[in-house]
Amino acid sequence: MVKDKIISKPNKLFEFSGDKQAVDLLFELGLIDEFSIRHPPGKTTVQAITRDLPTHYVIATRSARDLEAEENGYWVLCIPKSQYSEEEINDHMQAIVARFQSQGMAVETIIPMFPLSSDMTNRAVTV
């Protein structure tokens, strides 16, 4: 399991940009439904941040920026809680959102941002 691999290394930063491991982790965290491809392709992205893992904050993105399916996909960043505060993670998330917006993308942020994923209910806000 991807989740177990991450938890076993509490001080390591993990980045999954390939669909396989990113999707596997989102399934394990119960977040995959939050990222369903319900939007038509073209300059959209969905963001979420959670503290479901005991050792890491998880920032997840599903991008549908291009009309070509192979250019779209998932990206997950797992940041060690031992090295960063919630405030720093929130600031990082805002920087990611600003970067996507500067590229002309509509950003849909799943709210609430920091609860356990089991508290999320397909509520979204466009930033």
Side-chain angles (χ1 to χ4, degrees):
M1 294 182 92
V2 179
K3 187 166 85 171
D4 294 336
K5 174 184 170 183
I6 295 166
I7 292 170
S8 72
K9 297 184 179 182
N11 297 314
K12 183 177 179 188
L13 178 83
F14 290 88
E15 179 179 5
F16 304 105
S17 57
D19 278 351
K20 173 72 174 117
Q21 287 185 308
V23 169
D24 287 349
L25 180 57
L26 293 173
F27 267 115
E28 289 176 37
L29 294 174
L31 287 171
I32 197 67
D33 289 339
E34 299 293 332
F35 291 88
S36 64
I37 307 210
R38 61 180 180 243
H39 302 290
K43 302 213 178 262
T44 62
T45 185
V46 177
Q47 313 276 330
I49 189 167
T50 181
R51 56 177 172 227
D52 276 1
L53 294 177
T55 56
H56 291 75
Y57 299 106
V58 179
I59 295 176
T61 300
R62 194 257 319 144
S63 178
R65 74 174 75 197
D66 295 306
L67 296 176
E68 300 299 321
E70 64 271 4
E71 298 298 321
N72 299 324
Y74 296 87
W75 173 72
V76 179
L77 185 64
C78 302
I79 303 170
K81 289 180 179 179
S82 63
Q83 298 175 18
Y84 298 92
S85 69
E86 266 188 37
E87 183 178 332
E88 290 172 308
I89 298 306
N90 200 23
D91 289 347
H92 186 67
M93 179 68 165
Q94 296 310 314
I96 291 169
V97 168
R99 185 185 69 202
F100 281 122
Q101 289 175 329
S102 73
Q103 296 171 3
M105 295 181 70
V107 178
E108 182 181 351
T109 304
I110 298 168
I111 56 174
M113 293 287 280
F114 263 117
L116 297 176
S117 63
S118 58
D119 296 335
M120 298 175 126
T121 58
N122 283 327
R123 292 173 292 162
V125 62
T126 301
V127 179

